[in-house]
Amino acid sequence: MIVAIDGPAGSGKSTIASALAKRFGFEKLDTGAMYRAVAFTAQDRGIDLDDEEAVTALASTVTIRFAPGEGMSRITVDDRDVSREIRTPAVDATVSKVAAYAGVRKAMLEPQRAAAQEHDIVAEGRDIGTVVFPKADVKVFLTADPRERARRRVLQRHAGEAIDAHSLEREVDETLAALERRDAADSGRAVAPLIEAEDAVEIDSTAYSIDEVCDRIAELIEERR
Ligand code: DC
């Protein structure tokens, strides 16, 4: 069983995919983490991100692995754990450039498809239902109002910390601008842009809780079982 969840940054894909994977005993495949791992490693090794050939060569030679287990949340590049390093604002700002390179996408395709041969999976990203798994059993296109998406990102960043309303709103404004830049880059690129698959079920999560969205997708999964 392959469950594909695509959608823009901050739409809740990762949280929803993790919850569904747990509920059904599937593995979660976070494809964004793979593009982030390439962007981080290129920067870390001093590769010019504008040099498409060099970035593509890197993506084609490194070994990216997820530690199997709950949520496959740990990611390594050539056995170095980069799980924390890939979640910085620096990587947020540069990952879209790397993800737009055709050679980088080609290099990521094989390990993404291989993951589905070993397990039932919930895969999340931008081109899962269109390019990676066009025959996925369940396809969801998850959206949410941009300001709500930015707000979720900020709250996630400050998980467990107190933040006053004024600081929250200011950070939401900044995050919204960065998020809209990334959405435009991911949707506007020539190769595998973020678009909704024709046979995807669109779910707008703005007004729904995580559980409500999961229940709706769980119904779709049960229908296909
Ligand atoms: O889901 P995320 O924010 O971690 O993704 C990081 C970036 O990777 C995002 O800006 C677009 C890119 N990406 C992609 O191009 N294709 C995917 N399947 C997943 C992510």
Side-chain angles (χ1 to χ4, degrees), residues 6-10 13 30-33 35-36 87 92 95-96 99-100 105 112 124-128 132 153 182-183 186 189 192:
D6 290 302
K13 299 184 300 294
D30 177 353
T31 60
Y35 292 100
R36 288 172 177 274
R87 305 276 168 207
D92 281 349
V95 62
S96 288
R105 304 202 69 83
Q112 289 172 7
E124 53 113 343
R126 304 294 188 287
D127 62 338
I128 307 302
V132 184
R153 273 284 147 99
R182 196 142 70 88
D183 284 350
D186 294 337
R189 70 180 173 224

Side-chain angles (χ1 to χ4, degrees), residues 88-168:
T88 61
V91 173
D92 281 349
T94 51
V95 62
S96 288
K97 173 175 281 187
V98 165
Y101 293 150
V104 171
R105 304 202 69 83
K106 193 158 170 261
M108 297 301 113
L109 211 49
E110 195 196 322
Q112 289 172 7
R113 288 186 176 154
Q117 308 210 313
E118 291 166 27
H119 315 275
D120 291 323
I121 61 165
V122 184
E124 53 113 343
R126 304 294 188 287
D127 62 338
I128 307 302
T130 50
V131 176
V132 184
F133 298 117
K135 294 192 173 144
D137 302 279
V138 173
K139 292 185 190 178
V140 172
F141 194 79
L142 198 59
T143 63
D145 169 72
R147 197 165 178 87
E148 173 62 18
R149 291 193 277 120
R151 204 179 63 87
R152 289 177 186 170
R153 273 284 147 99
V154 173
L155 291 176
Q156 206 172 38
R157 211 178 286 147
H158 292 279
E161 294 168 17
I163 175 166
D164 67 84
H166 181 69
S167 308
L168 175 70

